[in-house]
Amino acid sequence: DEPSGIICDGTELLFSQERSVVGKRYYDAAGNLVQKHFRESLLGTFSNPDNGAYVLWIQHDTVVQNLSEPGNVDSGTARSSGLFSRVWLPDGGSILLDVGTALVDQATGEVLASGGRHPFGDYFERGDTTALQPICDALD
């Protein structure tokens, strides 16, 4: 039950999550990290603290980070692909999908390219307060 940053009618939704990661790291001949490749799975809930209503969410994605400066994890790019989030009602029925690809500059956090639907990015990065309205409607 952590603050989510999602505001619905003046109320900040809460979220919970569990995360599992399986990954590989690749090093050059000098022993410096040059690439991280991992698959992560997350699941949890978004809830309205005013009325106790909740929705479920899940995420399955693959991330490949190529370091432009060996050993510096804040360099290069990270490409994510997959199901960034599926949000659904407890009795079934998807209400929101965030899916596709994203390429991010690790030094700046800037999204260099993306494809697919990214309502969470629209909400948090581009300021579109209507992007997550289906979640708000479900928890009203």
Side-chain angles (χ1 to χ4, degrees):
D1 289 335
E2 298 290 326
S4 69
I6 302 170
I7 309 297
C8 297
D9 295 326
T11 298
E12 184 170 11
L13 302 182
L14 302 177
F15 84 103
S16 69
Q17 71 173 356
E18 294 179 27
R19 181 175 184 238
S20 172
V21 178
V22 175
K24 294 180 184 179
R25 292 174 176 246
Y26 298 89
Y27 298 86
D28 63 15
N32 295 308
L33 181 67
V34 295
Q35 185 185 74
K36 295 191 305 183
H37 184 171
F38 59 93
R39 175 131 170 96
E40 60 184 351
S41 298
L42 298 96
L43 60 93
T45 62
F46 289 106
S47 61
N48 182 330
D50 293 341
N51 62 17
Y54 69 95
V55 293
L56 303 146
W57 68 273
I58 194 165
Q59 175 177 334
H60 299 289
D61 61 53
T62 300
V63 179
V64 177
Q65 181 184 359
N66 291 305
L67 284 62
S68 58
E69 181 183 324
N72 181 356
V73 295
D74 293 326
S75 70
T77 59
R79 179 176 302 279
S80 301
S81 61
L83 176 64
F84 294 165
S85 195
R86 173 183 170 241
V87 182
W88 74 94
L89 299 167
D91 61 352
S94 294
I95 57 173
L96 188 99
L97 288 175
D98 191 318
V99 61
T101 61
L103 180 65
V104 176
D105 181 309
Q106 288 299 108
T108 65
E110 178 186 359
V111 177
L112 302 173
S114 69
R117 298 185 50 159
H118 299 292
F120 282 93
D122 292 341
Y123 184 88
F124 286 108
E125 296 160 17
R126 291 175 280 292
D128 180 355
T129 58
T130 65
L132 302 179
Q133 192 61 45
I135 296 174
C136 294
D137 292 346
L139 297 177
D140 190 13

